[in-house]
Amino acid sequence: MSTDKAATLQRGLRSRHIRFIALGSAIGTGLFYGSSEAIQAGGPAVLLAYLIGGAAVFLVLRSLGEMAVNHPCAGSFGEYATRHLGPLAGFTTGWTYAFEMVIVCIADITALGVYMGFWFPDVPRWIWVLAAIVVIGVLNLFSVKVFGELEFWLSLVKVVAICAMIVAGLAILVLGISGHGMHVGISNLWSNGGFFAHGFQGFIMSFAVVMFAFGGTEIIGVTAGEAEDPEKTIPGAVNSIPLRIVLFYVLTLAVIMSLNPWQHIGSDGSPFVQIFTGIGLKAAAAVLNVVVVAAALSAINSDIFAAGRIMYGMAERGQAPAVMRRLSRNGVPTMTVVIMICALLLGVVLNYTMPDKIFLIISSIATFATVWVWLMILATQYAARRKMTEEETSRLAFKVPFWPYGQIITMVFMTGVLVLLAFSASTRIALIVGAVWLALLSVVHMVWLRPRSAASGVAEFPTEEPAGNPVPARD
């Protein structure tokens, strides 16, 4: 392992890597497994919730994209928050994102264990969880190009499979194929209690689960530090988000609920697999199970990568232990990957001790962490833009749309999602964990970071780029 301060992250991610990493983050456990929870909460109206939530996330990513193109760096939104909102904001944002990735990754490996139960119902779930952590963790210790290629092919499998499922589902609807007495038709979207089957309240409550599905899309900003041409790759990846939301969430779930009445979709496995099993197409169900396993592996791969890079960026700013700054000869922050692997062993323990309740609890905590990070991204971009002169604003290569009202409305929406977590006993724990987490970070910052900075006689965040940052700041 190299400890040379001149070592830097390697710019090994090409345009196709960035695009498919973005796809991989948008198409994961939230769609393949968590969508069943969202459907049960809101009924068919969840389609509208995904559209609204997707629009909000698009504005978050455009805000992040504006900053990432203007100043691509390894620390991403953690560094931006430090610059524009202050050291405490940057510290809590960076570590909350790392916390989010650990929690989301535990949800992903939990879903993987559920998927494997399709073929091996008698094998304990925790065994598959442990195996996934070891394999994906080791692969992340290689160069960033290995990560990029792995994510490219895993995401390609997901995209092709979803498109094929949509085509197959539409063919079944047109041909009127059905089995096991199931009614097949688009009328399933309104004939089983109505489109708003659980009323407006159920529709609103579904956002607590829906927003979890979009968690991880902010990885686009993290990849900027290792992108070959961030000025071209980042805008392309961000702008494709709306199409992905419509195609991979709204259209896909509309097909699923047309093939199988929404109230029959449970949480015992992926709804993608359930619909084909329900109408008697078991071979198709087996193929789709391969796909959702690949989707889970892809999500785990992205989670480990993103958390490692954000911790590396924080170590560069002195907001994390210096050991996290160490790079291998291939430019990989090895210690952060190892730390992630160790943290994920908690997922093995949870899947062993409470396999039936873990996913909803974990996804709720992940929703809190995710929405908090999105709020900080929006607030950071808002503060950054307010400080700019007209000349500086005119030089921005990738301006956020609907400024400033779009950002203000989106911040209000995200705050509302956090408030929703308090109205359900199953998600209320997320607010408790989140509050404790933020309080703990504030104490650590006050006790550890500020005194250390004062003793060294330097600012908590230097005005010059720290050693090892691959990209100089651009004013």
Side-chain angles (χ1 to χ4, degrees):
M1 178 183 295
S2 172
T3 58
D4 185 358
K5 290 186 178 180
T8 64
L9 295 176
Q10 300 299 308
R11 290 193 173 279
L13 295 179
R14 300 178 179 177
S15 178
R16 66 184 177 91
H17 292 148
I18 300 294
R19 287 181 180 274
F20 276 86
I21 288 170
L23 276 173
S25 63
I27 311 167
T29 302
L31 174 62
F32 287 111
Y33 184 67
S35 56
S36 61
E37 298 283 355
I39 290 171
Q40 289 301 313
V46 76
L47 299 176
L48 182 58
Y50 275 108
L51 278 175
I52 295 173
V57 172
F58 173 66
L59 284 177
V60 172
L61 296 184
R62 281 300 301 260
S63 298
L64 177 58
E66 178 180 290
M67 296 185 290
V69 171
N70 190 49
H71 176 65
C73 61
S76 190
F77 36 82
E79 180 168 333
Y80 306 145
T82 300
R83 284 181 174 272
H84 302 294
L85 297 178
L88 177 60
F91 183 74
T92 56
T93 300
W95 278 111
T96 300
Y97 181 70
F99 176 68
E100 172 199 342
M101 287 296 97
V102 172
I103 297 301
V104 169
C105 202
I106 291 176
D108 292 330
I109 58 179
T110 298
L112 175 67
V114 174
Y115 301 154
M116 295 304 293
F118 179 83
W119 294 304
F120 307 99
D122 298 326
V123 177
R125 186 187 301 174
W126 67 267
I127 292 178
W128 304 114
V129 171
L130 180 61
I133 292 172
V134 173
V135 173
I136 299 298
V138 169
L139 289 174
N140 268 266
L141 293 175
F142 293 98
S143 72
V144 70
K145 288 186 177 180
V146 173
F147 162 78
E149 285 297 321
L150 177 62
E151 190 60 26
F152 172 79
W153 290 107
L154 287 175
S155 295
L156 184 61
V157 169
K158 291 190 287 188
V159 172
V160 172
I162 287 180
C163 292
M165 196 226 73
I166 292 173
V167 172
L170 292 175
I172 291 172
L173 290 173
V174 172
L175 298 175
I177 300 173
S178 62
H180 297 277
M182 290 289 186
H183 176 266
V184 172
I186 60 172
S187 61
N188 282 334
L189 297 178
W190 60 80
S191 61
N192 295 281
F195 186 73
F196 291 89
H198 288 307
F200 189 71
Q201 180 180 353
F203 167 69
I204 293 297
M205 292 303 297
S206 71
F207 279 99
V209 183
V210 165
M211 299 312 292
F212 166 74
F214 299 116
T217 50
E218 63 279 354
I219 193 177
I220 294 174
V222 180
T223 60
E226 291 167 272
E228 290 183 346
D229 190 1
E231 289 189 0
K232 292 183 179 180
T233 55
I234 299 301
V238 170
N239 285 334
S240 62
I241 288 290
L243 178 61
R244 290 201 296 270
I245 290 170
V246 173
L247 179 61
F248 298 126
Y249 281 88
V250 179
L251 183 55
T252 302
L253 294 182
V255 170
I256 285 177
M257 288 186 285
S258 296
L259 294 176
N260 200 1
W262 67 268
Q263 64 268 38
H264 294 159
I265 298 174
S267 57
D268 295 331
S270 171
F272 287 70
V273 177
Q274 291 177 25
I275 57 169
F276 286 100
T277 302
I279 61 177
L281 300 178
K282 294 185 178 181
V287 172
L288 273 176
N289 205 60
V290 173
V291 173
V292 296
V293 167
L297 292 173
S298 168
I300 296 166
N301 189 40
S302 295
D303 297 340
I304 293 177
F305 168 87
R309 269 47 176 190
I310 206 76
M311 285 188 282
Y312 169 82
M314 294 183 68
E316 283 195 318
R317 299 192 302 278
Q319 294 179 331
V323 69
M324 295 184 180
R325 249 175 64 178
R326 294 183 179 179
L327 298 174
S328 69
R329 294 179 180 177
N330 293 324
V332 174
T334 312
M335 284 305 301
T336 62
V337 175
V338 172
I339 290 169
M340 272 296 290
I341 294 173
C342 293
L344 289 174
L345 292 177
L346 174 63
V348 179
V349 176
L350 292 175
N351 274 276
Y352 178 76
T353 57
M354 48 186 302
D356 296 331
K357 300 179 180 179
I358 178 176
F359 186 81
L360 184 58
I361 295 174
I362 289 298
S363 63
S364 299
I365 296 174
T367 298
F368 175 90
T370 299
V371 174
W372 174 265
V373 170
W374 288 342
L375 269 171
M376 296 305 293
I377 290 173
L378 290 164
T380 300
Q381 187 273 334
Y382 187 83
R385 180 71 80 85
R386 290 290 298 270
K387 295 176 184 177
M388 290 183 182
T389 64
E390 290 186 8
E391 183 180 354
E392 290 173 330
T393 302
S394 66
R395 292 204 304 264
L396 289 173
F398 190 50
K399 294 181 182 178
V400 66
F402 310 118
W403 167 264
Y405 304 107
Q407 283 61 46
I408 295 173
I409 293 172
T410 306
M411 283 190 279
V412 172
F413 171 79
M414 293 300 176
T415 303
V417 173
L418 291 180
V419 172
L420 283 178
L421 296 176
F423 288 90
S424 173
S426 57
T427 59
R428 198 171 297 134
I429 187 175
L431 282 181
I432 299 173
V433 172
V436 171
W437 170 256
L438 293 176
L440 178 62
L441 288 179
S442 299
V443 171
V444 171
H445 181 270
M446 180 176 62
V447 173
W448 172 63
L449 198 61
R450 291 183 62 184
R452 192 184 60 165
S453 299
S456 63
V458 298
E460 290 183 67
F461 184 72
T463 56
E464 297 181 0
E465 290 299 311
N469 196 320
V471 186
R474 296 185 299 167
D475 295 328

